Each structure stands twice: as C-alpha cells, then as structure tokens.
Amino acid sequence: MDDYRLRHELRRGIESLCRRRGDLLTETERTRITEEIIDDTLGLGPLEPLLRDPTISDILINGPNTIFVERRGQLEQASISFHDADHLVQIVQRIAGKVGRRLDESSPMVDARMSDGSRVNAVIGPLALDGALVSIRRFGDRRLQASDLIGHRALTGEMWDFLSTCVATGLNVIVSGGTGSGKSTLMNALCSAIPANQRIVTIEDAAELNIHLPHVARMETRCANVEGKGEITARDLVRNALRMRPDRIIIGECRGSEAFDMLQAMTTGHDGSLTTLHSNGPRSALRRLEMLVGMAGMELPAWFIRELVGSAVQIIVQCVRLPNGQRKVTSISEVTGVVGETVSLHDIFEYKRQDTDPTTGKTGYFRTTGIRPVCLDRLATHGARIDPSFFEERILRVDRCDTIPRLAAAPGRSTL
C-alpha cells in the first residue's frame, strides 16, 4: 500500500474502534486521538503538526519534554511533548532510517536531509545526557527572491542591484554570517543573476540551493558508513567539479580544506563563483579563509595564502540576525588585493545600527560609505557602466518590493 492508502485504512480502523465506545469520547477527542495515532504510526509522532506549520523555520528538541520552534526569527516553546525518552529516540531513529542512516549507541550522531528537504541533526545517548538532541532546519516551498528580501528590508534595492551586477559580470562573492543569518537564502537569490548560458556546478553538505537555471549540476557530500568507509568530502567534489567543465562553482558552505581548491578555482578561469562562510564580519571572514586554507595539509607560507585570498575574492557580503529576529545585510565590502601583510578591504555599503524605534520598529539605516569600488573598471569591461556618483555618501531609502530596480540578468547591461 502507498502512504495515502495506509493512512485511509488506519483512519477507518481507529474510527471504528472509537465508535464502539462513543459514550466515552467527544467528537473533538476522537479526532485528536485519530490524528495522534496516525502520526505516531506512519509519521513522526508529535513532530508532524510542527512540520505541517509553514511559519516554523527551526525545530529544536532538548529531550522529550523541551521542544522549541522558531517563528519569524523568534524562539518560543512548543506545546508538544514525547511520551518519554525512548519515544523520542524511536522517532529520531525513524527519521534516520528513512534516509538510509543508522542511529544507535555505536553510531550516536546523524546529519541528514529529510524527504521534504529539511536538514536534520540528531545526537542520542550516551553523548546526549538529558535525552536526544535534535535540530531540524526547515525550508519553505518557495525560495525567497529579490523582491522578498527587499520587502523584508534585509537590504535596499540599490544594494541588491549592485550585488546582482557583480554576480552577473563574474566577480567572486563570499556571503558571510552566523548561523541562521540568511546566508544560504541570499546566495540562492543571487544565483538568479547568473547568465542562463553558463554551466554551474553546486557542492553542498545538505542540498539547500534551488537554482532555477537550465544548466546546473548538483552534487552532495556523503558521510562515512558504520565501518568508517565511503566518505566523500567537499574537497573531493571540488576537485571532481574542475573536470566537469564548469563556468562557475558554487559551494553551499566552505568549512574545511576545500577552501584551498575553491580559491584556486576562482583564480583559474571560474569567475563568478560563490560560497558561504561562518564569521562575524568581513575581516573575520578573510582570517577564517586563511585558516581554512591552512587546513589543506600543505605547508604553505602565510604570504602565499594571503596573496591567494586577496586575488581570488572580490566581494564579501555580511549577513546578521538581529536580536528582534530580523535578518539584515550589514555590509557589502570589496577586497582589493594585499598591502604589505594585510588583505586590503573596504566597505561600500553598510547598515548602521541604532536603538529600536518603538513606533516604527526600525533598528537602523542603510548607507553608502562614499568609497568608489575598484571593481567599477572591471564591471565596465562587461558593459555595466555605473555612474561613480551613485556611491557618494548618503542614506539609502528602503524601497518596498514594487519599486525594485531592474535586476542585472546578464553581462553587457547596466542597471545603475
């Protein structure tokens, strides 16, 4: 039987049993019991109502009785619970089993992607002391586009238009930020600016990107099996991607020695590549890149690593999740090479934080810094001629989505 038929037959059986003692249950109680049994038998038990709720972006479980969810950037405690610790472990093992992973005392951690695209990480005993720890990162059915990001005031139309022009004309971009700051969402939106005639290879630990372009080759890393064999790392996939004739390589998140191969690819004909990075700021992102390159297992001198980073990366976009749950692009910075022993970096756009206005809810404002980007000459060679006065120091208006500037969809077209 398929899942639909199973649920139908199980519902008929439960309702038949409930009708035998209809004097003990109200209609509401019968409906609740029926749904709970179906969810626990064929689904993921108490998690099912949360997974059906489109407003929830994260589900965080700290034992059978402590479940939190994130809605619109704010954490709140959910009103569900599991019967006991064993019930929670049983549900988590069901999740792991559906994706072909094993979860028990000999293999107490799992990191996988669920059938709906959600990313799940689970840790059970003996590592988890107070019951299983589970984190589920959910993704909406519809990926956020430029209009959504501007409508949510994550950045302004001018900032988006500059970024999309940079992507369209082949500058290498790193999207930096903390966990849950919107890095992957922004990078996914930026991919819409890539010309449709280019071949893109994506590499991810858990598939999150949803790029609507005609020529996309997607790859996903693989964890080792229970015998400790069969692991395929991001570095393995980057090396393989170079043999697949890509125009651009997009790495979902750069977190290890693959940074060295990625930077080499950026400097050897794969212009316009993108990746995300965990860091607290653009300068921290550069230092983290240098550290990751050092993990490649080769004794590279510090000056060589800095030269590699300075020549490979052109734009760093910093994303931040504010205390009120809002996601903001707090800076767009340009890397202009190496000066002495330092990678040169300057901000083009920035978000200036202020105390929250109780009447409007505003937490700050976007502005240009007054620095003219060095990359303007390079953009001009691709036909994107931008008036330097655009970057004069000023406060930027946060337009609603119906006043978005035209997007840079391909090289050869200026939008500013």
Side-chain angles (χ1 to χ4, degrees):
M1 281 187 197
D2 59 27
D3 186 68
Y4 176 81
R5 182 69 177 170
L6 275 173
R7 286 177 177 270
H8 177 71
E9 292 297 328
L10 184 57
R11 184 181 300 277
R12 287 180 56 190
I14 297 169
E15 291 174 348
S16 175
L17 289 172
C18 287
R19 280 194 297 269
R20 293 184 182 180
R21 294 305 305 267
D23 57 313
L24 298 179
L25 298 171
T26 65
E27 184 66 29
T28 302
E29 290 172 334
R30 284 201 298 270
T31 301
R32 179 180 57 80
I33 290 174
T34 300
E35 294 301 327
E36 285 183 359
I37 294 176
I38 292 175
D39 288 343
D40 208 51
T41 305
L42 301 178
L44 299 178
L47 291 179
E48 287 291 334
L50 304 183
L51 295 172
R52 289 193 289 262
D53 187 341
T55 67
I56 293 177
S57 57
D58 283 273
I59 302 171
L60 308 171
I61 303 172
N62 306 327
N65 300 311
T66 310
I67 296 93
F68 288 86
V69 298
E70 181 182 298
R71 285 188 175 93
R72 290 175 280 276
Q74 297 292 325
L75 282 177
E76 58 186 69
Q77 189 159 3
S79 58
I80 68 165
S81 63
F82 294 83
H83 301 316
D84 50 35
D86 290 337
H87 182 214
L88 172 56
V89 170
Q90 182 186 44
I91 295 298
V92 177
Q93 288 176 330
R94 189 177 300 172
I95 295 174
K98 288 185 176 181
V99 295
R101 301 288 175 85
R102 175 179 171 182
L103 187 66
D104 53 30
E105 288 191 4
S106 62
S107 180
M109 293 190 299
V110 69
D111 193 13
R113 176 167 50 89
M114 298 170 65
S115 58
D116 65 351
S118 299
R119 189 174 65 200
V120 59
N121 176 272
V123 181
I124 64 172
L127 303 184
L129 302 181
D130 301 314
L133 302 174
V134 185
S135 302
I136 300 176
R137 168 67 60 84
R138 303 185 63 222
F139 303 98
D141 296 332
R142 187 181 69 87
R143 299 300 189 191
L144 297 183
Q145 304 299 320
S147 58
D148 302 301
L149 297 177
I150 298 173
H152 293 154
R153 299 175 181 263
L155 75 173
T156 70
E158 293 96 330
M159 294 167 68
W160 168 262
D161 211 28
F162 174 75
L163 280 177
S164 59
T165 301
C166 290
V167 171
T169 53
L171 299 189
N172 296 318
V173 178
I174 290 180
V175 182
S176 165
T179 301
S181 60
K183 301 185 300 297
S184 297
T185 299
L186 177 60
M187 187 169 73
N188 196 79
L190 285 173
C191 289
S192 65
I194 298 175
N197 62 349
Q198 293 190 355
R199 173 172 168 81
I200 305 166
V201 176
T202 68
I203 297 167
E204 301 177 82
D205 286 330
E208 300 177 15
L209 296 174
N210 187 13
I211 303 174
H212 296 290
L213 290 171
H215 203 166
V216 180
R218 305 171 68 206
M219 292 190 289
E220 190 176 57
T221 60
R222 186 177 72 185
C223 298
N225 58 23
V226 292
E227 287 81 23
K229 300 178 180 179
E231 180 183 20
I232 304 295
T233 66
R235 189 174 191 188
D236 297 327
L237 295 181
V238 172
R239 289 176 171 177
N240 187 76
L242 296 174
R243 305 184 183 99
M244 299 173 67
R245 196 247 171 240
D247 291 305
R248 305 185 188 221
I249 298 175
I250 298 176
I251 301 178
E253 182 182 338
C254 197
R255 63 175 71 182
S257 58
E258 69 274 6
F260 175 68
D261 302 279
M262 179 199 70
L263 293 176
Q264 280 199 315
M266 286 179 169
T267 58
T268 55
H270 303 91
D271 295 337
S273 296
L274 297 94
T275 188
T276 69
L277 198 67
H278 273 89
S279 70
N280 295 326
R283 179 62 62 185
S284 297
L286 292 175
R287 288 194 292 267
R288 180 163 168 77
L289 261 183
E290 293 179 21
M291 181 196 70
L292 294 177
V293 171
M295 295 170 59
M298 294 172 283
E299 295 183 2
L300 300 172
W303 67 264
F304 175 83
I305 296 176
R306 281 193 295 271
E307 288 285 348
L308 180 61
V309 172
S311 61
V313 180
Q314 282 86 48
I315 300 293
I316 299 178
V317 186
Q318 184 67 32
C319 299
V320 170
R321 181 173 62 175
L322 301 180
N324 63 3
Q326 293 181 351
R327 272 82 169 178
K328 298 286 185 183
V329 174
T330 54
S331 67
I332 299 175
S333 308
E334 182 184 29
V335 179
T336 56
V338 178
V339 178
E341 296 184 355
T342 305
V343 179
S344 180
L345 177 77
H346 56 255
D347 295 338
I348 302 171
F349 300 91
E350 65 178 1
Y351 181 76
K352 298 292 289 184
R353 298 195 209 181
Q354 296 177 318
D355 293 336
T356 303
D357 187 329
T359 58
T360 64
K362 291 183 179 179
T363 56
Y365 59 91
F366 295 99
R367 64 184 288 266
T368 52
T369 62
I371 298 176
R372 176 185 172 182
V374 176
C375 65
L376 288 187
D377 294 335
R378 177 170 174 176
L379 299 182
T381 63
H382 290 81
R385 300 187 181 278
I386 303 174
D387 186 349
S389 64
F390 175 82
F391 299 99
E392 292 179 356
E393 185 174 357
R394 59 194 171 91
I395 295 177
L396 299 175
R397 196 180 117 218
V398 182
D399 292 320
R400 300 305 297 174
C401 56
D402 57 348
T403 57
I404 297 172
R406 292 175 301 153
L407 303 184
R413 183 177 120 195
S414 174
T415 61
L416 301 179

